[in-house]
Amino acid sequence: MAERLTPRAILEKLVSFPTVSSETNLPLIDWVEAYLKSHGIAAHRHPHETDPDKAAVFAHVGPAVEGAIVLSGHTDVVPVEGQPWTSDPFEVVERDGKLFGRGTCDMKGFDALAIWAMVEAHYANVQRPIQLALSYDEEIGCAGAPPLIDSLNAHFPKGSATIVGEPSMMGAVSGHKGGAGFMVHIRGFEVHSSLMHTGVNAIMYGAKLIEWANEMNVANQAKAPSDTAATFEPPWTTVHVGVIEGGTAHNITALDCRFGLDFRVVPGEDHAFWMSQARAKAAEIEADMRAVVPETYIEMTESFMVPALAPEEQGEAEALVRQLTGDNATRVVSYGTEGGHFQEAGYSTVICGPGDIAQAHQPDEFLSVAQFEAGQRFMEKLIESCT
């Protein structure tokens, strides 16, 4: 019989793969696939549609019937360059009751527990199936979730409840904001700044679109929030620009300006509405630019779209997590996860995983041993509930 690894051993193996989103995750996928197959578990991969160096992996244990519990995680991590780590970020190091390493918290700790649980559930001969779904490219807009979900459903009977294991201190999180964004490129026309009225300064026209974002934030903050929005912090849809670049010299009207324009959308509001509002404002600004120099333009490329996770009335996934943890607190978060994609695909969905989101993406990222052990107890109770 193949060796049944402990959750800690699996975590150490997963962290050893430097699966930064810009790099390949195939060595990790190869290992997960081989490990599950060594225990007689049929594992499948879904290759990235355009990048041959990335793939998702998914598996099923238990009877071939609908209604599985899906354990959802992602395999990619954020970069470590420029961060002051005190140990090798791709090695699990234990200090003071904490497991340090890139991804221990976000979210290879949960991935390790989910892989461990799949093997244990297989040998426990569970009567309710459990499925594993590990994606790619979560950290760059949750892009890998929709094709993974489609492929999972094409191979196995559809599950009914999804647990997304993002760090929540093992508490149930029933909702989160959605996210959507553009990469904006404004093409101006260069002239000497003393004759700026004959040119088009891409930065200054870009500032008009950024000022529109400020105005939207003020207006949204002033509105009375819906009952759902009122549970979030802040309780309104936000519009944000975090990085901007452009221009060549202080005395030349800027030829180019580029920035990201992002929305964090409360459940109940439509991403498409906000995207169309931004496009309409950009078209208005572009018309003013072209009145000066006709060949100028504004180009807006959609960069990501993460649907919101809406709190469910008597949701199956939330009820299951509360039953297993005894947690009765109400929680929503303003960051996005792959949970919105699962909910859109017809799954009851909740977020629950070990660790504190405050540690995600940080230098010396860690998952406490206590949280990792709490996650293992959760998986043990989950398996027991399915037998």
Side-chain angles (χ1 to χ4, degrees):
M1 180 181 295
E3 182 182 8
R4 290 161 68 172
L5 298 177
T6 65
R8 173 70 176 269
I10 297 173
L11 176 62
E12 290 175 352
K13 192 67 180 179
L14 297 183
V15 171
S16 73
F17 298 109
T19 52
V20 176
S21 301
S22 59
E23 305 298 327
T24 183
N25 73 337
L26 292 186
L28 183 151
I29 297 298
D30 290 342
W31 183 87
V32 172
E33 195 173 51
Y35 179 67
L36 293 177
K37 286 187 176 180
S38 74
H39 290 283
I41 299 172
H44 302 268
R45 69 173 61 197
H46 176 80
H48 191 290
E49 285 76 2
T50 59
D51 187 344
D53 292 327
K54 292 182 180 179
V57 65
F58 53 93
H60 178 109
V61 296
V65 296
E66 293 187 350
I69 299 166
V70 182
L71 303 177
S72 164
H74 62 81
T75 62
D76 57 323
V77 297
V78 297
V80 300
E81 283 76 17
Q83 293 188 332
W85 284 77
T86 57
S87 57
D88 184 345
F90 298 110
E91 177 183 350
V92 176
V93 176
E94 181 174 349
R95 299 193 303 270
D96 302 321
K98 301 172 182 177
L99 303 173
F100 292 87
R102 174 55 88 220
T104 51
C105 178
D106 183 22
M107 58 181 299
K108 290 180 177 179
F110 178 84
D111 293 348
L113 292 166
I115 294 166
W116 175 83
M118 291 291 287
V119 172
E120 297 303 307
H122 172 67
Y123 289 114
N125 193 30
V126 291
Q127 299 306 297
R128 180 178 183 179
I130 300 176
Q131 294 176 351
L132 175 73
L134 300 182
S135 70
Y136 55 81
D137 285 355
E138 189 274 347
E139 296 290 3
I140 51 176
C142 297
L148 167 60
I149 294 168
D150 290 343
S151 192
L152 176 68
N153 288 332
H155 280 81
F156 298 124
K158 186 175 180 178
S160 61
T162 297
I163 301 170
V164 180
E166 294 283 359
S168 70
M169 297 297 287
M170 295 308 301
V173 173
S174 59
H176 65 64
K177 289 186 177 181
F182 291 109
M183 293 305 299
V184 180
H185 174 208
I186 300 175
R187 183 70 168 186
F189 186 80
E190 288 181 315
V191 297
H192 193 280
S193 61
S194 65
L195 298 171
M196 63 178 292
H197 67 291
T198 65
V200 173
N201 189 316
I203 291 175
M204 296 183 74
Y205 279 95
K208 294 176 183 287
L209 188 55
I210 295 172
E211 180 54 24
W212 172 83
N214 289 327
E215 292 169 356
M216 291 302 99
N217 286 326
V218 171
N220 287 348
Q221 184 175 0
K223 291 188 302 186
S226 67
D227 291 344
T228 299
T231 63
F232 286 85
E233 176 57 37
W236 62 83
T237 291
T238 57
V239 193
H240 179 253
V241 175
V243 175
I244 185 170
E245 60 179 16
T248 54
H250 73 90
N251 60 351
I252 303 174
T253 57
L255 178 64
D256 292 290
C257 179
R258 291 180 172 86
F259 55 87
L261 181 67
D262 300 341
F263 302 88
R264 297 282 181 175
V265 182
V266 295
E269 293 188 8
D270 187 4
H271 292 85
F273 168 79
W274 285 107
M275 303 292 264
S276 67
Q277 291 291 103
R279 287 190 184 278
K281 185 62 180 181
E284 176 187 317
I285 296 168
E286 184 182 64
D288 292 341
M289 295 165 54
R290 287 183 169 177
V292 181
V293 179
E295 60 264 34
T296 59
Y297 59 84
I298 298 179
E299 182 179 57
M300 302 181 73
T301 305
E302 293 188 21
S303 54
F304 70 95
M305 198 288 288
V306 180
L309 176 67
E312 301 170 359
E313 290 289 337
Q314 299 180 332
E316 177 190 359
E318 182 180 350
L320 173 64
V321 165
R322 294 193 185 284
Q323 175 189 348
L324 297 178
T325 62
D327 172 38
N328 290 315
T330 299
R331 300 179 186 85
V332 295
V333 293
S334 292
Y335 59 81
T337 77
E338 295 177 328
H341 284 298
F342 275 95
Q343 191 176 65
E344 280 200 341
Y347 293 81
S348 175
T349 305
V350 70
I351 301 166
C352 182
D356 186 342
I357 192 64
Q359 297 304 319
H361 304 183
Q362 297 298 306
D364 281 349
E365 176 183 349
F366 70 82
L367 172 65
S368 73
V369 172
Q371 276 289 295
F372 197 45
E373 291 174 346
Q376 181 173 351
R377 290 193 296 272
F378 175 87
M379 292 299 180
E380 291 168 347
K381 291 179 180 178
L382 175 66
I383 293 166
E384 183 179 356
S385 74
C386 291
T387 55

